[in-house]
């Protein structure tokens, strides 16, 4: 038998080592990748915060405040992850208040940018609808006034017709005494007949003018209906709409004046630049609250806080070879284990009665427990017990396997020595 084969060291890596290496690489990659993500999120929320803030104060002051706000968010998130609030409540709440103030300021001013993005088309549509509404209200008033004019013209025409009839039969109150109660077409009749024909021509002319006005109104309404603010020729079309409105107003005002009625006031439309201009951030945006804009502004800050918190709170990485050896030796000092309801190995970390009586110092093993808890290899059940995390089992299994192999090697060494001695004696 070859003694060198028995003394050959076994590979200390194994499955546990491979898993540990993969986990180390994966977690390290996640932690490294989290840092640029946090920085990019901070830059994104910083831009939106600066955009909103710069509309209220000087730009360079807004930039300084924005950098301070984003720095406080990241630093406070990192600090909260490392603070135990029961140990230092004042510090915990002071950091928490700083974080909440910074996040509130960031969301408040970022909201303006997201509001502008999300509500831009809605506001332009509202402006378009307002223009259409103002014009339609004006045209309705024009139609009502036109109805009154036509009604007035018809009443005057009916009265003139009645005067002609009364003049023919001599019953008109203004007829001369010589022509009263005389039937026929006298001078007074011919006068009333002339007045009637004049009124009739005027009424016909008014109707004809209204027909022409209706054509202009139809052109105006068609222009409003077909106008699209996103069309390439939107500005030219809008100018035609304004021109058509002014033409309708001028013609109708003249007709109303000739008929002795008061024309409705023409609405003052916005200029095209006012129609298409952007939104200027103001706190009035909070009155017309947009849930979508608020959620977008909150989402970026939430991700920044969450990733910054996890960056500090999560374990920095799996155990090195020396850390594995230290932890394994310290955990071997515990004696009470069981399988709990989570199907995990549970370990009692409290001193036993004998250890308490002997005033046993468990500093090393408690250090190992705290070390594994902070690195995510143990999970706390209560003040007296902890359970193994799934990533700890392969490491312990590898260590136990290595010990078993070493023990077998030690047991096999004396037998191999005896075999070699017998072979040498036989040769002699």
């Amino acid at each position: 038998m070859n003694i060198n084969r028995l003394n050959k060291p076994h590979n200390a890596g194994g499955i546990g080592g491979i898993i540990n290496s993969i986990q180390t690489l994966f977690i390290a990659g996640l932690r490294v990748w989290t840092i640029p993500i946090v920085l990019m999120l901070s830059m994104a929320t910083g831009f939106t915060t600066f955009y909103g803030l710069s509309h209220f104060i000087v730009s360079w002051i807004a930039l300084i405040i924005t950098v301070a706000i984003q720095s406080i968010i990241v630093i406070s998130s990192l600090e909260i992850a490392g603070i135990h609030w029961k140990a230092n409540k004042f510090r915990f709440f002071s950091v928490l208040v700083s974080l909440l103030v910074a996040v509130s300021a960031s969301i408040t001013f970022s909201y303006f940018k997201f509001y502008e993005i999300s509500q831009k088309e809605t506001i332009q549509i509202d402006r378009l609808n307002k223009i259409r509404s103002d014009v339609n209200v004006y045209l309705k008033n024009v139609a009502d006034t036109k109805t009154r004019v036509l009604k007035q013209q018809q009443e005057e025409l009916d009265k003139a017709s009645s005067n002609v009839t009364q003049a023919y039969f001599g019953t008109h109150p203004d007829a001369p005494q010589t022509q009263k109660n005389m039937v026929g077409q006298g001078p007074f009749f011919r006068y009333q007949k002339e007045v009637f024909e004049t009124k009739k021509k005027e009424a016909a002319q008014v109707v004809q003018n209204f027909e022409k006005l209706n054509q202009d109104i139809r052109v105006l309404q068609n222009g409003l209906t077909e106008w699209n603010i996103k069309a390439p020729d939107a500005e030219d079309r809008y100018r035609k709409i304004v021109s058509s409105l002014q033409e309708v107003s001028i013609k109708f005002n003249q007709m109303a004046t000739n008929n002795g009625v008061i024309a409705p006031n023409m609405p003052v439309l916005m200029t095209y630049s006012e129609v298409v201009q952007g939104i200027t951030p103001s706190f009035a945006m909070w009155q017309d609250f947009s849930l979508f804009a608020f959620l977008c502004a909150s989402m970026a800050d939430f991700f920044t806080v969450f990733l910054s918190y996890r960056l500090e709170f999560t374990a920095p990485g799996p155990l090195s070879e020396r850390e594995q050896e230290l932890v394994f030796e310290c955990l071997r000092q515990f004696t009470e284990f069981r399988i709990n309801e989570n199907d995990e190995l549970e370990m009692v970390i409290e001193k036993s009665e004998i250890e308490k009586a002997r005033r046993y110092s468990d500093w090393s093993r408690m250090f190992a427990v705290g070390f594994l808890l902070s690195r995510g290899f143990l999970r706390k059940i209560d003040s007296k017990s902890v359970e193994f995390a799934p990533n700890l089992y392969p490491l312990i299994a590898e260590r136990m396997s290595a010990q078993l192999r070493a023990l077998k090697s030690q047991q096999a060494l004396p037998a191999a020595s005896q075999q070699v001695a017998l072979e040498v004696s036989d040769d002699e």
Side-chain angles (χ1 to χ4, degrees):
M1 181 181 292
N2 191 353
I3 299 178
N4 293 331
R5 184 175 61 85
L6 293 175
N7 292 332
K8 184 178 180 180
H10 292 274
N11 184 13
I15 300 299
I18 295 174
I19 293 176
N20 187 51
S21 300
I22 295 174
Q23 188 183 37
T24 301
L25 180 63
F26 180 73
I27 293 180
L30 287 180
R31 289 179 60 81
V32 171
W33 181 237
T34 300
I35 295 174
I37 292 177
V38 170
L39 293 177
M40 287 187 290
L41 284 171
S42 297
M43 292 177 63
T45 54
F47 169 75
T48 55
T49 302
F50 170 76
Y51 178 82
L53 194 60
S54 61
H55 284 82
F56 298 91
I57 58 177
V58 182
S59 297
W60 67 272
I61 298 179
L63 178 61
I64 294 175
I65 294 177
T66 300
V67 173
I69 289 174
Q70 297 306 315
S71 300
I72 291 174
I73 290 176
V74 175
I75 294 173
S76 298
S77 301
L78 292 172
E79 284 198 15
I80 285 182
I83 298 176
H84 295 283
W85 72 275
K86 291 183 178 180
N88 194 337
K89 295 181 180 180
F90 176 78
R91 183 187 173 200
F92 177 82
F93 284 109
S94 63
V95 174
L96 179 61
V97 169
S98 301
L99 177 62
L100 293 178
V101 171
V103 170
S104 299
S106 179
I107 292 176
T108 298
F109 293 104
S110 296
Y111 172 81
F112 297 137
K113 182 60 178 179
F114 288 105
Y115 183 93
E116 177 182 352
I117 296 173
S118 63
Q119 299 296 108
K120 182 178 180 180
E121 292 188 359
T122 302
I123 290 176
Q124 288 185 345
I125 292 174
D126 291 342
R127 291 171 180 171
L128 176 59
N129 291 335
K130 185 178 184 305
I131 292 173
R132 289 174 174 169
S133 176
D134 292 343
V135 172
N136 289 332
V137 170
Y138 172 72
L139 294 180
K140 182 179 182 302
N141 293 334
V142 168
D144 293 340
T145 306
K146 183 176 67 174
T147 301
R148 291 200 307 269
V149 170
L150 293 175
K151 183 178 180 181
Q152 179 181 340
Q153 289 288 330
Q154 187 62 41
E155 289 176 352
E156 292 178 356
L157 190 61
D158 292 341
K159 184 178 179 180
S161 176
S162 177
N163 289 338
V164 171
T165 302
Q166 291 177 357
Y168 181 80
F169 289 103
T171 58
H172 195 284
D174 296 331
Q177 290 295 330
T178 56
Q179 297 183 17
K180 283 189 176 182
N181 299 320
M182 292 181 63
V183 179
Q185 299 181 4
F188 186 74
F189 170 80
R190 288 192 295 272
Y191 169 75
Q192 293 297 332
K193 182 69 173 178
E194 184 179 350
V195 171
F196 172 74
E197 293 296 334
T198 302
K199 291 288 185 181
K200 188 176 181 180
K201 291 180 180 179
E202 290 178 355
Q205 184 64 39
V206 168
V207 172
Q208 185 179 359
N209 292 336
F210 278 148
E211 288 295 331
K212 294 180 179 179
L213 182 66
N214 289 338
Q215 294 178 2
D216 295 334
I217 291 175
R218 282 193 290 270
V219 171
L220 174 60
Q221 290 176 331
N222 291 336
L224 277 174
T225 303
E226 297 173 358
W227 182 45
N228 184 359
I229 200 171
K230 293 184 178 180
D233 58 344
E235 185 173 1
D236 294 334
R237 287 179 176 269
Y238 185 71
R239 289 176 179 173
K240 292 180 180 179
I241 291 172
V242 175
S243 177
S244 299
L245 178 63
Q246 291 173 346
E247 186 175 357
V248 169
S249 177
I250 292 172
K251 289 182 178 180
F252 186 74
N253 288 346
Q254 184 178 1
M255 295 172 61
T257 302
N258 294 336
N259 289 275
V261 296
I262 300 176
N265 294 326
M266 184 190 75
V268 179
L269 301 183
M270 294 180 285
T271 62
Y272 184 76
S273 59
E274 291 176 337
V275 175
V276 297
Q277 73 177 359
I279 308 171
T280 301
S282 65
F283 284 99
M285 292 180 177
W286 286 100
Q287 298 176 359
D288 186 19
F289 181 74
S290 172
L291 180 61
F292 176 77
F294 179 78
L295 292 178
C296 289
S298 303
M299 181 174 59
D301 285 302
F302 170 77
F303 289 149
T304 303
V305 172
F306 177 76
L307 290 177
S308 300
Y309 179 85
R310 293 295 300 173
L311 186 64
E312 177 66 20
F313 185 76
T314 53
L319 305 178
S320 65
E321 191 70 24
R322 291 185 178 181
E323 290 172 342
Q324 292 181 40
E325 183 177 355
L326 172 65
V327 167
F328 181 72
E329 293 300 327
C330 291
L331 290 182
R332 290 178 59 186
Q333 300 178 20
F334 290 102
T335 58
E336 295 186 39
F337 296 87
R338 72 181 185 92
I339 302 298
N340 61 16
E341 59 275 6
N342 299 327
D343 293 334
E344 301 288 357
L345 184 62
E346 185 176 321
M347 178 176 64
V348 177
I349 59 176
E350 189 182 33
K351 290 182 182 180
S352 63
E353 295 299 328
I354 297 177
E355 290 174 339
K356 291 179 181 179
R358 293 179 177 179
R359 296 183 178 180
Y360 173 76
S361 175
D362 61 346
W363 182 88
S364 59
R365 67 185 190 184
M366 292 304 291
F367 171 80
V369 171
F371 179 71
L372 292 177
L373 285 172
S374 66
R375 300 290 291 272
F377 288 92
L378 288 179
R379 295 188 292 237
K380 191 172 183 180
I381 302 298
D382 51 38
S383 60
K384 298 181 181 180
S385 59
V386 295
E387 69 177 12
F388 279 35
N391 53 355
L392 183 59
Y393 289 105
L395 301 181
I396 300 299
E398 186 63 33
R399 286 292 169 180
M400 294 177 65
S401 175
Q403 280 198 346
L404 289 175
R405 289 195 301 268
L407 182 61
K408 288 181 179 180
S409 298
Q410 292 176 359
Q411 292 175 351
L413 186 59
S417 300
Q418 293 178 1
Q419 181 66 26
V420 170
L422 291 173
E423 290 177 358
V424 171
S425 61
D426 292 341
D427 293 338
E428 290 178 354

